[in-house]
């Protein structure tokens, strides 16, 4: 027993030393305008607080240990701003009033990049907001022009974002932003970054993103097999209400001699909003040729649903049971992510699913050539 105890103590000591090599002390000091607010130190992998402090006399402080170079963030309760930093052992200072964080050279540069990214994305959002502020008639008249400008705005932001990644290939900063690379530049660009020998490629946060993406992809592939199995089948009928509360069957509009896009969307869905200019442009171009749309919303608030129909410029048929993911459409058509859609021929047969962006235009161009 004595030998086992000595061995156990030896192992514990080795483990303790190993752990200490993988951790670093943090000191986070800051100023905030509201006393009594709780400030949280959050681990970005778990998204859970690992420390907290209460603002007292306009300031707060947190001290402790966390993973060496772990990506952490500081958030004040009720604030939508996160102050990102790498736990490299150097103290950081946060000024909530002007949304700044200072610390080591690496963290100062991370703060600069975060600010630049916020400004670039705000420019893109302002472009969208400017179009949405136009009168409905003007939006319809300029729909085709807007789609072209919209694509240019996306490319401008994407080029900026990827340029920022490339500027920092010799440090850890891309780890803080890499999660958005697939949606902006594609999976190939993301995988190339992971396969590089750059310092951030093996960062625990990056590896966790890759793990989560792989799991999500596996679930998506399984779902797609089930979803695409419906292509070639007759559409399935369902009932939902229009914005006036009148219940309609899908069969009132589908299988009646027109090509119909059944569009699954929601007012709260950011990607749906980004996709809608393509759908509006398709409707404007092909409606008079025999193309129609039935929007099936996954909203739960009628006011937001009706407001989006107007503000996003969608002059087609709209139905919803306002049951969010418990919508009857979710069960009938196995919808577990939006935007999604079904293209149904004049006889009521589903011929395609998930036509996004230019793919919708290409398919309709082929049909109405």
């Amino acid at each position: 027993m004595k030998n086992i105890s000595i061995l156990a103590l030896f192992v514990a000591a080795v483990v303790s030393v190993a752990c200490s090599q993988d951790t670093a002390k943090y000191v986070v000091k800051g100023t905030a305008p509201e006393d009594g607010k709780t400030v949280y130190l959050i681990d970005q992998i778990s998204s859970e607080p690992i420390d907290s402090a209460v603002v007292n006399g306009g300031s707060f402080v947190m001290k402790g240990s966390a993973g060496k170079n772990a990506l952490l963030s500081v958030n004040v309760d009720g604030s939508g701003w996160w102050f990102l930093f790498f736990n490299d052992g150097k103290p950081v200072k946060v000024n909530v009033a002007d949304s700044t964080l200072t610390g080591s050279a690496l963290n100062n540069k991370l703060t600069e990049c975060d600010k630049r990214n916020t400004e670039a994305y705000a420019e893109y959002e302002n472009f969208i907001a400017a179009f949405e502020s136009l009168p409905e008639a003007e939006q319809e008249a300029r729909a085709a022009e807007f789609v072209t400008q919209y694509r240019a705005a996306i490319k401008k932001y994407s080029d900026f974002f990827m340029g920022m990644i490339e500027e920092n290939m010799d440090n850890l900063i891309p780890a803080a932003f890499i999660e958005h690379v697939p949606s902006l530049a594609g999976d190939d660009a993301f995988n190339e970054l992971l396969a590089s020998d750059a310092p951030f490629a093996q960062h625990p946060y990056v590896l966790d993103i890759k793990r989560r993406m792989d799991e999500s992809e596996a679930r998506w592939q399984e779902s797609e097999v089930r979803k695409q199995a419906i292509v070639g089948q007759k559409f399935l009928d369902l009932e939902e209400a229009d914005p006036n509360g009148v219940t309609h069957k899908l069969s009132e509009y589908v299988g009646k001699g027109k090509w119909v896009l059944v569009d699954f969307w929601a007012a709260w869905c950011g990607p749906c909003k980004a996709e809608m200019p393509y759908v509006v442009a398709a409707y404007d171009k092909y409606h008079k040729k025999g193309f129609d749309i039935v929007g099936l919303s996954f909203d739960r608030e009628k006011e937001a649903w009706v407001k989006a129909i107007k503000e996003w410029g969608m002059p087609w048929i709209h139905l919803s049971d306002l049951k969010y993911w418990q919508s009857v459409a979710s069960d009938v058509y196995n919808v577990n992510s939006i935007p999604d859609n079904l293209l149904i021929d004049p006889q009521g047969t589903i011929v395609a699913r998930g036509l996004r962006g230019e793919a919708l235009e290409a398919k309709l161009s082929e049909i109405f050539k």
Side-chain angles (χ1 to χ4, degrees):
M1 292 293 293
K2 186 176 180 180
N3 289 339
I4 293 175
S5 298
I6 292 173
L7 177 61
L9 290 171
F10 174 75
V11 171
V14 171
V15 170
S16 176
V17 171
C19 289
S20 66
Q21 292 173 341
D22 295 329
T23 61
K25 292 182 178 180
Y26 61 79
V27 177
V28 180
K29 296 181 179 180
T31 57
E34 295 183 64
D35 282 1
K37 286 282 188 178
T38 301
V39 182
Y40 297 98
L41 182 63
I42 300 169
D43 178 86
Q44 291 298 104
I45 291 180
S46 67
S47 298
E48 296 292 335
I50 59 174
D51 201 349
S52 64
V54 176
V55 179
N56 185 18
S59 64
F60 61 89
V61 61
M62 293 178 284
K63 297 180 180 181
S65 295
K68 175 69 174 176
N69 288 324
L71 183 61
L72 307 178
S73 63
V74 179
N75 175 250
V76 179
D77 189 26
S79 167
W81 188 267
W82 278 259
F83 301 85
L84 292 169
F85 71 96
F86 291 101
N87 187 38
D88 55 9
K90 305 292 178 63
V92 299
K93 291 184 178 181
V94 173
N95 187 325
V96 175
D98 62 10
S99 301
T100 59
L101 180 149
T102 56
S104 65
L106 174 67
N107 284 321
N108 289 343
K109 192 171 186 181
L110 173 60
T111 299
E112 175 197 346
C113 288
D114 198 21
K115 181 180 179 181
R116 287 169 54 204
N117 181 55
T118 301
E119 291 171 350
Y121 188 72
E123 181 181 345
Y124 162 76
E125 283 192 316
N126 290 338
F127 164 75
I128 302 295
F131 180 79
E132 291 178 345
S133 68
L134 297 174
E136 186 175 340
E138 189 173 351
Q139 287 186 28
E140 292 180 6
R142 296 177 58 185
E145 173 192 350
F146 174 72
V147 169
T148 300
Q149 295 175 342
Y150 175 74
R151 291 170 182 164
I154 289 178
K155 185 177 187 305
K156 180 179 179 181
Y157 175 64
S158 177
D159 289 346
F160 156 79
F161 191 90
M162 295 308 297
M164 187 174 66
I165 297 284
E166 291 171 8
E167 290 171 8
N168 292 282
M169 291 293 287
D170 62 345
N171 60 57
L172 293 177
I173 287 175
F177 301 98
I178 198 171
E179 186 170 8
H180 304 292
V181 169
S183 61
L184 289 172
D187 290 343
D188 289 345
F190 177 77
N191 291 327
E192 284 179 15
L193 289 172
L194 285 187
S196 71
D197 58 0
F200 64 84
Q202 295 300 311
H203 189 278
Y205 183 63
V206 174
L207 297 179
D208 186 67
I209 291 171
K210 181 66 166 64
R211 176 190 61 78
R212 288 188 279 114
M213 289 183 65
D214 287 345
E215 291 176 354
S216 177
E217 175 69 14
R219 291 193 300 269
W220 182 82
Q221 291 289 357
E222 181 182 350
S223 174
E224 281 300 295
V225 171
R226 296 197 307 271
K227 288 165 68 173
Q228 293 299 334
I230 201 170
V231 174
Q233 309 278 331
K234 286 287 185 179
F235 80 96
L236 302 173
D237 209 1
L238 54 80
E239 288 187 356
E240 291 188 341
D242 66 19
N244 295 318
V246 179
T247 300
H248 295 272
K249 289 186 176 182
L250 188 59
S251 55
E252 293 177 37
Y253 314 105
V254 176
K256 301 296 185 182
K258 287 187 175 184
W259 285 88
V260 179
L261 185 78
V262 176
D263 188 41
F264 305 110
W265 71 287
W268 49 261
C269 169
C272 298
K273 187 175 183 180
E275 186 70 19
M276 205 53 68
Y278 296 100
V279 184
V280 171
Y283 181 84
D284 289 344
K285 185 173 182 179
Y286 296 106
H287 179 56
K288 292 182 180 180
K289 298 181 180 182
F291 172 65
D292 218 335
I293 300 175
V294 177
L296 298 185
S297 164
F298 280 62
D299 280 291
R300 51 187 167 190
E301 297 177 3
K302 182 175 180 179
E303 183 179 352
W305 172 43
V306 174
K307 182 180 179 182
I309 292 172
K310 181 179 180 180
E311 292 187 350
W312 298 8
M314 304 185 291
W316 47 82
I317 301 149
H318 291 279
L319 304 175
S320 180
D321 53 14
L322 298 175
K323 292 183 178 179
Y324 196 46
W325 288 113
Q326 285 70 49
S327 167
V328 64
S330 178
D331 291 333
V332 171
Y333 287 110
N334 189 33
V335 181
N336 52 26
S337 64
I338 52 176
D340 193 5
N341 56 48
L342 305 170
L343 183 62
I344 304 175
D345 74 10
Q347 292 72 45
T349 299
I350 300 168
V351 299
R353 182 164 194 166
L355 295 170
R356 301 281 298 275
E358 296 178 0
L360 176 60
E361 161 62 25
K363 186 64 176 179
L364 293 176
S365 176
E366 175 188 325
I367 290 168
F368 293 105
K369 65 183 177 180

